Amino acid sequence: MPTDVRCLVETDESSAVVRLTGVLDLAGLDAVRNALLARLWQRPGAVIVDLSRVRIADPAARGVLDQVHGVAADWPAAGVLLLDPAGRSNGAAPVHRSLDTAQAALRDAPLAAVLNADLPPVVAAAREARALVSDGCARWGVPELAEPASIAITEMVNNVVAHAGTPMTVRVAPRDSTLHLAVRDHSGRRPAYAGLAPLTSTGGRGLLLIDTVSRRWGSTPLPDGKVVWCVLHADDEARLRG
């Protein structure tokens, strides 16, 4: 197969399977990454990436699957499994040799819960986002995370209102004893965190607050915007209150 045949990402909204066909080489990494991330955001839950019809022209190209798997681990209600009949492991995402075993793995670890809200870029959006977070924390038995999660989601939403000015989607989901928050907007402007702000500063503390209440956070670029996410751990809050 010639290496100039591009890698296609075939998705089906009714299925968790995403198929790669053609040739995956270094030149096609960005397109594949963007397509997989777009699919992960559009449909909450884990996806099975089928590698049975793709030729990986450069071993380094497989690293894009590591990257997407790492992002999915931090996003709310997302995950990546690989279907590879050859059983080649990339050291990160779980690898299954058949579609049956991959689908069985999804059934054994079903999507627990997820809450979404589409919000306009207005000041009142932060209040609606906090209500969503509080509802989720009560439903999922992590009431101790309601306060820090409300702080984080408020700053994430306010950043969209102040800097992106686009409609946004807020997503919240639990995973074991952690809470995953994300806000998707349609601006390519990435948040820049420079550490502690000077005491004389009149702004710039939003990202500091997110950094303070969460175990980790970040921003994932998409072709038409970005996803800003953070992960909070219940045991962190328990230690603070202890």
Side-chain angles (χ1 to χ4, degrees):
M1 184 180 294
T3 58
D4 61 350
V5 176
R6 65 194 180 102
C7 182
L8 300 178
V9 181
E10 302 174 356
T11 63
D12 179 352
E13 286 303 313
S14 65
S15 169
V17 179
V18 177
R19 290 183 173 85
L20 304 190
T21 61
V23 175
L24 176 59
D25 56 19
L26 296 178
L29 294 189
D30 286 347
V32 170
R33 172 191 175 279
N34 289 338
L36 291 176
L37 290 176
R39 174 62 179 75
L40 281 167
W41 183 263
Q42 288 164 1
R43 185 177 184 268
V47 299
I48 300 169
V49 180
D50 184 355
L51 305 179
S52 59
R53 301 178 187 174
V54 68
R55 183 168 76 84
I56 300 178
D58 188 318
R62 192 172 173 121
V64 71
L65 302 174
D66 281 328
Q67 296 173 16
V68 174
H69 174 265
V71 169
D74 288 321
W75 279 9
V80 171
L81 292 75
L82 301 182
L83 167 57
D84 186 351
R88 295 164 296 186
S89 174
N90 68 335
V95 178
H96 299 271
R97 288 180 176 268
S98 73
L99 180 59
D100 286 343
T101 59
Q103 291 176 327
L106 286 188
R107 289 193 296 270
D108 290 341
L111 178 65
V114 60
L115 294 175
N116 289 280
D118 294 320
L119 302 174
V122 297
V123 173
R127 182 177 64 251
E128 295 186 49
R130 286 193 297 272
L132 188 78
V133 164
S134 296
D135 181 24
C137 289
R139 290 188 189 192
W140 304 324
V142 285
E144 67 274 22
L145 289 179
E147 182 179 351
S150 293
I151 292 171
I153 206 69
T154 295
E155 298 306 327
M156 294 160 75
V157 168
N158 283 344
N159 280 340
V160 176
V161 174
H163 303 295
T166 74
M168 70 190 90
T169 300
V170 175
R171 181 169 295 169
V172 185
R175 187 176 301 174
D176 299 324
S177 62
T178 65
L179 188 68
H180 296 243
L181 314 177
V183 177
R184 160 83 153 104
D185 66 47
H186 299 276
S187 168
R189 182 174 179 178
R190 303 284 299 278
Y193 176 54
L196 293 174
L199 294 177
T200 55
S201 173
T202 57
R205 289 189 170 83
L207 297 179
L208 173 60
L209 288 172
I210 297 172
D211 186 70
T212 299
V213 300
S214 64
R215 178 80 63 94
R216 59 188 180 276
W217 69 276
S219 174
T220 306
L222 297 177
D224 61 342
K226 63 182 176 296
V227 175
V228 178
W229 55 267
C230 70
V231 181
L232 290 79
H233 287 240
D235 54 356
D236 289 348
E237 192 63 19
R239 280 195 296 269
L240 286 174
R241 297 189 179 193

